């Protein structure tokens, strides 16, 4: 009886050990399986990656090109093909365009000397200030007109018209208040007439250089109109003369 009891008692621990070992194996298998599932859910599928980058391409694929630079080069080529073939060719220069350049050149040839005379012959500080504006503005315009005329092949004069030279002569012989009034009215009348011409040229020209020139001339002449009017010396007869000149016939 004692031997049987001892045999039974020795069997129990062994059974328990086997059960514990089996449970340990099962737990290990479950842990490995669960870890594999979590890794699989954390990694996007290839199709998902393609959908995130768009157009079925990976982030480095560049929409079917080897790199972003290559794509940019192809885009430029495509853009170049879309440009009309005639757009890069020579632009027309009309007779109106040519006359405009000639008039701008002639304006500078007598208004720069007029502005210089204002510094020595004028008695009004406002007139002297207007003279400085004329010298500065027309010096810049004169450089621009010579450049544009050369590019466009337009012949421009080297001297003012006979009438303009006569105006300069009048101012050379005037001093003080006489000079101030003569300067303000001659220059205001001239600028008022050319101001209307600039608008017509800008509205009709097909040439990019003439458009740029007209814009610059418009800004310059508008400034000169204002400083001449600020002298307070422009007569009503001068405004009437300009109105008559620019009114459509």
């Amino acid at each position: 009886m004692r031997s049987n009891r001892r045999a039974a008692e020795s069997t129990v621990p062994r059974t328990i050990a086997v059960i514990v070992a089996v449970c340990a194996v099962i737990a290990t298998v479950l842990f490995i399986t669960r870890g594999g599932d979590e890794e699989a859910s954390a990694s996007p599928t290839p199709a998902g990656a393609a959908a995130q980058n768009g157009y079925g391409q990976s982030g480095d694929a560049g929409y079917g090109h080897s790199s972003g630079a290559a794509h940019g080069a192809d885009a430029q080529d495509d853009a170049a093909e879309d440009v009309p073939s005639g757009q890069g060719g020579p632009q027309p220069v009309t007779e109106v365009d040519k006359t405009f350049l000639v008039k701008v050149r002639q304006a500078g040839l007598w208004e720069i000397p007029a502005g210089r005379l204002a510094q020595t012959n004028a008695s009004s500080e406002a007139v002297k200030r207007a003279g400085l504006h004329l010298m500065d503005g027309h010096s810049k315009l004169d450089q621009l007109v010579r450049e544009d005329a050369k590019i466009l092949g337009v012949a421009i004069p080297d001297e003012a018209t006979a009438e303009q030279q006569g105006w300069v002569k009048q101012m050379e012989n005037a001093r003080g208040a006489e000079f101030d009034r003569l300067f303000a009215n001659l220059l205001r009348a001239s600028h008022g007439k050319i101001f209307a011409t600039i608008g017509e040229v800008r509205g009709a020209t097909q040439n990019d250089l003439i458009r740029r020139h007209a814009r610059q001339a418009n800004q310059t002449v508008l400034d000169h109109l204002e400083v001449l009017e600020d002298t307070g010396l422009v007569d009503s007869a001068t405004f009437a003369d300009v109105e008559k000149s620019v009114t459509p016939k």
Side-chain angles (χ1 to χ4, degrees), residues 47-117:
Q52 288 177 359
N53 288 315
Y55 298 96
Q57 301 290 340
S58 66
D60 295 332
Y63 300 101
H65 295 288
S66 60
S67 67
H71 177 64
D74 289 346
Q76 291 178 355
D77 292 340
D78 294 339
E81 292 176 359
D82 292 337
V83 176
S85 58
Q87 185 169 336
Q91 297 177 330
V93 183
T94 66
E95 290 302 317
V96 173
D97 296 338
K98 296 177 182 179
T99 301
F100 172 66
L101 292 179
V102 169
K103 286 187 175 182
V104 172
R105 170 66 169 167
Q106 289 174 329
L109 289 172
W110 83 275
E111 292 182 22
I112 293 174
R116 192 176 298 118
L117 283 171

Side-chain angles (χ1 to χ4, degrees), residues 180-195:
D180 294 345
R181 187 167 296 279
L182 185 63
F183 175 92
N185 286 277
L186 284 175
L187 272 301
R188 178 56 180 81
S190 176
H191 280 81
K193 295 171 184 177
I194 193 65
F195 191 61

